[in-house]
Structure formats: structure tokens, C-alpha cells
Amino acid sequence: MDISFLLNGESVVLRDVSPTRTALDWLREERGLRGTKEGCNEGDCGACTVMLTDARGSRAVNACILFLPQLHGKALRTVEGIAGPDGAPHPVQQAMVDHHGSQCGFCTPGFVVSMATAHLNGDTGHDDALAGNLCRCTGYAPIIRAAEAATSAPVPAWMSSEKTLLAEISSGGARRSRAGGRQPPSDGLRARDRR
């Protein structure tokens, strides 16, 4: 099975994908994106939260129960892709720093992705938006304060551009990626250059 999707704004094409390989395992083992953590490996703790965008919009999902074929034609954003291309922090990342929202740090990437997804969607029901993320250090109060503080910040341009890029990956193509996979044709700009 061949699939194509966007990963943190970059086109990815994978050949002969196992239908039972999880996005979490692929991200950590093949891409070295280890900010997405394995906690419960059952979709209950939120340590593996990633943002998935398709024609229906963006939502926070658990990478440990998301199979690679489910990414086809969609955009996936991990915690490593939340900051801007120039390294500028996303408003929720800055708010987590300003409000001391991280304690041991294990759950923090999942919280940040859930918060960034809610921020993108204009969702101010922070308790509901973060209900799938567990903090074992019981640091919920500063995390909620951080989410509230980021509410009024504008959505960064790099976070709102993925919906326009989804059409780029739907047809396959001949351009080769740096990793040796095939990329869909585009107007000559790499996805990251459009942000």
C-alpha cells in the first residue's frame, strides 16, 4: 500500500506501508521525531497526541492507535512542527513557559499539540480540549492558565496554511524527496517555503 501525506508541512510518500504500522512507531523509529511519546499505547494518556488535518478540519488524535494508511491525503503535525519555521514559538508554547505549565515534561508535548489544535480551531473549552491528556504530576492548573492565556493570540501563519496544501499530495507525482521517496508535483515551492 502506498500513501502520501504532509508531515509538519513537508510532503511524504511511503511505499509498501504495512496496514498495521502505527503512526507513533513510524514517527519515532523512522523519522526520529521522539517528542511524540509512548505512554499507555492504548490511546488513553495523550502523550502521543498529534494534529491531523483533512477536508473536515484539524483535530488532536492519538498516534499510538492511528495506523499509517489513515494518514493518506491528510496532514500530520507533531510537536516538532508546532513552532514556526524560524524557530519562533507557537503562542501555546510560549504560554506554557510563561505559566510554568510543564513539570516532568513527559506529557507536555501532547498537551502542547492539543492546545495548538484547540487554538487553531478557536476552541476555548480548554477542559474539554485537554480531556484526553493526562498529567501525572497533577499540574493541570498552570496548563489551563497557559491555554487561557494563549486564547487571544492570533493563529500563526504556518499553522493555517496546511489546508491549502492538502490538494498537493492527493495525486502522487514524480518529484523526489530528500529521503528518496517520491513527492507530488507542485508549483516548484517546497511546502515549508510556502509558510
Side-chain angles (χ1 to χ4, degrees):
M1 168 180 292
D2 297 347
I3 63 170
S4 59
F5 60 97
L6 294 177
L7 173 61
N8 294 332
E10 294 286 332
S11 296
V12 174
V13 175
L14 300 178
R15 305 283 181 218
D16 301 320
V17 172
S18 167
T20 59
R21 181 106 193 252
T22 66
L24 174 65
D25 288 343
W26 181 80
L27 287 168
R28 292 180 61 80
E29 295 167 9
E30 302 298 323
R31 297 303 282 218
L33 297 173
R34 293 188 175 89
T36 306
K37 304 287 193 254
E38 180 178 327
C40 67
N41 210 24
E42 295 178 350
D44 290 332
C45 74
C48 67
T49 303
V50 293
M51 181 189 300
L52 191 65
T53 303
D54 59 16
R56 296 180 297 157
S58 298
R59 58 199 174 280
V61 298
N62 297 103
C64 71
I65 56 173
L66 179 69
F67 295 112
L68 278 177
Q70 292 175 285
L71 299 178
H72 184 64
K74 299 175 181 165
L76 181 69
R77 191 167 286 274
T78 66
V79 70
E80 291 89 352
I82 297 296
D86 61 353
H90 186 284
V92 301
Q93 291 173 312
Q94 189 60 54
M96 286 288 276
V97 171
D98 294 344
H99 294 273
H100 310 288
S102 179
Q103 291 185 40
C104 81
F106 188 84
C107 68
T108 304
F111 273 101
V112 166
V113 173
S114 291
M115 291 166 65
T117 304
H119 184 261
L120 177 65
N121 292 331
D123 182 358
T124 58
H126 305 300
D127 289 338
D128 290 336
L130 298 175
N133 296 88
L134 299 178
C135 174
R136 290 164 180 86
C137 300
T138 65
Y140 290 106
I143 294 170
I144 295 296
R145 283 194 294 272
E148 291 168 347
T151 299
S152 60
V155 173
W158 67 85
M159 294 298 291
S160 58
S161 64
E162 275 184 349
K163 291 179 187 176
T164 61
L165 299 175
L166 288 176
E168 177 181 320
I169 63 172
S170 62
S171 64
R175 198 162 55 98
R176 308 252 341 142
S177 75
R178 290 177 291 182
R182 297 173 60 80
Q183 284 189 345
S186 69
D187 58 4
L189 293 176
R190 292 178 305 204
R192 70 174 173 210
D193 295 331
R194 298 174 206 229
R195 292 184 242 157

